[in-house]
């Protein structure tokens, strides 16, 4: 019997993408997917370091996996446990100390060396291997070709970040910015479309700072890449995430006017509405800059709706600063958002700033913000009632005969539909709306 793998993924879309690439590599090595960790010879945790909670979850999960390893050992089965992703980059020694049963650990920029790492593990059973160097060559050159797993595919075009927001670990875990060459991205996109994808979501920690080389060695921006991608026959929807406000240029704004395939939904994190806090965060925009960008984008495409990330309780945040965040929410009327209590990350400048905010205050502010965000999300969803929207159906619903898909605005939509409609875009009339999802009927 062949060997089996199990991967558990924490964190962002980039980690989901990385896990898919790891799975493809393991398949090439002859591994099959296991349904549970207990059934797996190789268990991999793909980890997230963005907030303390995410990082701590990894250690509690590892504790449970060690029990699985012991249970399997009692049945005479060998289990390799690996940790990949951002926690490894940031806490390699911590992993070795707190989870010595881990067989290998590799950072988000080095997992393409997995085949070699697994061979080394097999040879030196019992000795942990940690691989976290920032490599000189791009991992993308070493990964197997990406194939569609459904109607929607993620495609990493940029990785890393040079922005150094003072709260954020990403520049330390994902390294400096790197953009994949245009030709490589187009080739991967065509392959994804040829193998069944109708929607591609371009990924990057700072995707709109994309500056990959074209076929003639000339640096090109994200707008250029979007225009080239939109020429691919059979590709019907394009998205890109996550964008940095100060890097939204006029070229990119024009894409929202010109490219029909570009979806009318943009994730553009503002983080805070207070200029004082934005400055302390080292964001290169103030609230007026941000609002101007949103206005220009919505002039280019009046149907465009926004989503954002928010942090409450950043060091020094007063009630007035917090009110400015609520103000910007009232101005932009986000249709979706992710909001977090500030989490002190070791090694980042904000972790040692004065005026850290009490947990109680953070909690109160988060609740107020989330209630406000929720009200706009519900309002927008209710405005969709009676409208017909093209929905890409991605997965089966809870009961038989039901499918779940996404509208152009990233809303989840349930409909009674035969599973032959999976991975297709179908027109649906919205009949029910809650804050978190829509239901509809095929027209
Ligand atoms: N504390 C809380 N939230 C954070 N984020 C990043 N770092 C932190 C932190 N230290 C949030 C930001 C970012 C999202 C991915 O996570 O809002 O946009
Ligand atoms: Fe982190 Fe800021 Fe870079 Fe986003 S732009 S990844 S928040 S440092």
């Amino acid at each position: 019997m062949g060997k089996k793998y199990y991967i558990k993924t924490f964190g962002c879309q980039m980690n989901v993408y990385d896990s898919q690439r790891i799975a493809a590599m393991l398949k090439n090595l002859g591994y099959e997917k296991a349904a549970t960790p207990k059934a797996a010879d190789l268990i991999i945790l793909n980890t997230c370091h963005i907030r303390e909670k995410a990082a701590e979850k990894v250690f509690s999960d590892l504790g449970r996996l060690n029990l699985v390893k012991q249970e399997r050992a009692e049945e005479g089965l060998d289990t390799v446990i690996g940790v990949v992703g951002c926690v490894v980059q940031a806490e390699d020694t911590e992993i070795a100390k707190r989870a010595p049963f881990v067989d290998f650990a590799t950072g988000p920029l080095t997992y393409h060396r997995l085949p070699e790492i697994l061979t080394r593990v097999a040879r030196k059973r019992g000795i942990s291997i940690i691989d976290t160097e920032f490599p000189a060559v791009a991992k993308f050159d070493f990964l197997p070709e990406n194939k569609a797993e459904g109607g929607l595919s993620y495609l990493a075009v940029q990785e890393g970040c040079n922005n150094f927001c003072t709260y954020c670990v990403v520049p330390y875990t994902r390294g400096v910015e790197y953009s994949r060459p245009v030709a490589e991205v187009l080739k991967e996109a065509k392959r994804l479309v040829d193998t069944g994808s109708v929607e591609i979501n371009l990924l990057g920690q700072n995707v709109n700072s994309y500056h990959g080389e074209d076929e003639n060695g000339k640096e090109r921006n994200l707008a250029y890449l979007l225009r080239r991608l939109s020429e691919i026959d059979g590709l019907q929807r394009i998205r890109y995430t996550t964008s940095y406000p100060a890097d939204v240029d006029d070229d990119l704004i024009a894409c929202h006017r010109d490219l029909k395939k570009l979806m009318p939904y943009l994730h553009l994190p503002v983080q805070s509405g207070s200029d004082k806090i934005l400055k302390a965060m080292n964001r290169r925009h103030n609230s007026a800059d941000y609002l101007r960008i949103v206005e220009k984008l919505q002039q280019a495409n009046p149907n465009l709706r926004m989503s954002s990330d928010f942090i409450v309780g950043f060091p020094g945040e007063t009630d007035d600063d917090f009110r400015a965040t609520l103000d910007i929410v009232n101005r932009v009327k986000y249709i979706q958002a992710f909001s977090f209590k500030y989490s002190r990350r070791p090694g980042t400048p904000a972790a040692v700033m004065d005026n850290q905010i009490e947990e109680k205050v953070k909690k109160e502010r988060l609740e107020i913000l989330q209630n406000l965000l929720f009200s706009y999300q519900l309002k927008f969803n209710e405005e969709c009632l009676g409208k017909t929207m093209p929905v890409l159906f991605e997965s089966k619903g809870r009961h038989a005969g039901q499918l779940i898909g996404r509208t152009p605005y990233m809303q989840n939509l349930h409909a009674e539909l035969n599973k032959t409609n999976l991975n297709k875009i179908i027109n649906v009339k919205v009949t029910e709306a809650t804050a978190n999802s829509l239901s509809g009927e095929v027209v």
Side-chain angles (χ1 to χ4, degrees):
M1 268 225 315
K3 288 202 169 185
K4 292 202 164 153
Y5 73 90
Y6 184 90
I7 305 179
K8 181 165 177 184
T9 309
F10 298 90
C12 64
Q13 287 310 339
M14 191 65 102
N15 267 12
V16 174
Y17 177 87
D18 287 340
S19 288
Q20 287 174 353
R21 318 301 299 118
I22 289 170
M25 246 187 302
L26 293 175
K27 276 182 201 145
N28 283 356
L29 295 175
Y31 281 82
E32 279 170 54
K33 190 169 172 172
T36 60
K38 184 82 200 285
D41 307 281
L42 168 62
I43 305 174
I44 293 179
L45 286 190
N46 190 357
T47 62
C48 172
H49 199 246
I50 197 93
R51 284 169 293 274
E52 193 179 347
K53 240 199 206 153
E56 274 311 307
K57 256 189 98 101
V58 172
F59 289 104
S60 56
D61 256 50
L62 280 174
R64 273 193 294 275
L65 290 179
N66 191 27
L67 296 180
V68 172
K69 187 171 182 161
Q70 284 165 17
E71 278 169 34
R72 282 176 52 90
E74 281 161 21
E75 296 164 24
L77 298 167
D78 186 34
T79 316
V80 173
I81 297 181
V83 187
V84 304
C86 295
V87 170
V88 178
Q89 204 64 42
E91 301 194 42
D92 50 352
T93 49
E94 196 68 11
I95 291 174
K97 209 163 64 195
R98 288 174 67 179
F101 51 86
V102 166
D103 298 285
F104 70 89
T106 173
L109 302 175
T110 40
Y111 68 76
H112 58 280
R113 298 202 278 250
L114 206 56
E116 175 201 327
I117 292 171
L118 289 172
T119 315
R120 276 160 60 203
V121 169
R123 258 192 238 130
K124 304 188 180 183
R125 210 65 195 85
I127 299 169
S128 298
I129 291 168
I130 295 180
D131 180 10
T132 54
E133 259 170 60
F134 285 132
V137 278
K139 70 181 180 196
F140 297 103
D141 296 346
F142 295 88
L143 296 175
E145 285 187 321
N146 200 359
K147 262 194 280 182
E149 296 200 356
L152 162 69
S153 286
Y154 294 101
L155 200 176
V157 300
Q158 181 275 338
E159 182 162 26
C161 183
N162 299 346
N163 284 323
F164 291 93
C165 299
T166 52
Y167 51 81
C168 185
V169 292
V170 167
Y172 312 98
T173 57
R174 292 270 174 177
V176 294
E177 268 178 27
Y178 167 78
S179 295
R180 296 175 70 190
V182 171
E184 206 182 287
V185 173
L186 291 176
K187 190 171 155 218
E188 187 164 327
K190 281 184 192 134
R191 197 176 152 81
L192 291 169
V193 173
D194 287 345
T195 50
S197 283
V198 288
E199 173 173 327
I200 291 182
N201 195 336
L202 304 179
L203 296 182
Q205 267 82 35
N206 199 352
V207 71
N208 64 325
S209 77
Y210 177 86
H211 54 92
E213 282 188 4
D214 72 5
E215 294 84 343
N216 302 314
K218 186 171 169 192
E219 273 203 2
R220 298 292 193 164
N221 60 12
L222 183 65
Y224 176 86
L225 192 63
L226 290 172
R227 286 179 193 277
R228 292 284 302 269
L229 284 164
S230 73
E231 289 164 6
I232 297 177
D233 282 338
L235 178 58
Q236 299 183 52
R237 293 177 162 194
I238 305 172
R239 305 178 191 273
Y240 60 92
T241 194
T242 293
S243 296
Y244 188 72
D247 292 334
V248 176
D249 59 18
D250 288 344
D251 237 7
L252 188 57
I253 292 172
C255 288
H256 284 275
R257 181 193 62 210
D258 301 338
L259 303 181
K260 292 286 158 284
K261 294 181 180 180
L262 199 53
M263 288 293 98
Y265 170 90
L266 185 62
H267 186 60
L268 191 65
V270 67
Q271 310 297 356
S272 165
S274 152
D275 291 347
K276 182 192 92 189
I277 295 298
L278 287 169
K279 193 152 183 235
M281 287 176 164
N282 193 33
R283 302 284 289 179
R284 283 183 284 116
H285 59 86
N286 60 28
S287 58
D289 299 331
Y290 182 88
L291 288 169
R292 210 172 312 120
I293 294 162
V294 171
E295 194 188 325
K296 278 184 166 181
L297 282 161
Q298 292 186 327
Q299 269 167 7
N301 178 0
N303 293 324
L304 184 71
R305 295 292 179 275
M306 310 300 297
S307 82
S308 179
D309 294 340
F310 295 92
I311 297 176
V312 299
F314 186 82
E317 186 185 70
T318 62
D319 283 339
D320 277 347
D321 294 320
F322 176 60
R323 260 194 292 277
T325 298
L326 300 178
D327 280 349
I328 210 155
V329 172
N330 286 321
R331 295 274 211 103
V332 180
K333 303 180 172 54
Y334 296 96
I335 66 164
Q336 238 179 68
F338 304 92
S339 44
F340 313 99
K341 289 182 284 189
Y342 168 68
S343 168
R344 240 169 140 163
R345 308 308 290 127
T348 60
V352 291
M353 284 181 185
D354 294 337
N355 302 318
Q356 297 285 331
I357 305 297
E358 260 183 274
E359 180 61 25
K360 185 171 145 271
V361 175
K362 287 187 201 171
K363 207 171 148 219
E364 280 166 13
R365 288 183 184 162
L366 187 66
E367 202 179 313
I368 295 168
L369 175 63
Q370 290 187 335
N371 283 336
L372 185 65
L373 290 166
F374 183 86
S375 71
Y376 283 112
Q377 190 170 323
L378 177 64
K379 189 157 176 280
F380 179 73
N381 285 355
E382 285 176 347
E383 280 166 20
C384 295
L385 282 171
K387 290 194 178 143
T388 297
M389 297 189 188
V391 176
L392 170 54
F393 286 95
E394 291 167 26
S395 57
K396 290 184 196 154
R398 221 176 290 159
H399 42 84
Q402 189 189 48
L403 296 185
I404 303 175
R406 297 266 197 167
T407 71
Y409 297 100
M410 289 290 257
Q411 296 146 300
N412 279 319
L413 185 143
H414 304 249
E416 300 303 312
L417 254 185
N418 186 298
K419 64 174 189 268
T420 54
N421 293 297
L422 265 180
N423 304 320
K424 290 185 188 150
I425 297 176
I426 291 167
N427 279 328
V428 176
K429 186 168 160 187
V430 180
T431 53
E432 273 172 63
T434 67
N436 295 316
S437 73
L438 305 176
S439 306
E441 283 166 9
V442 175
V443 290

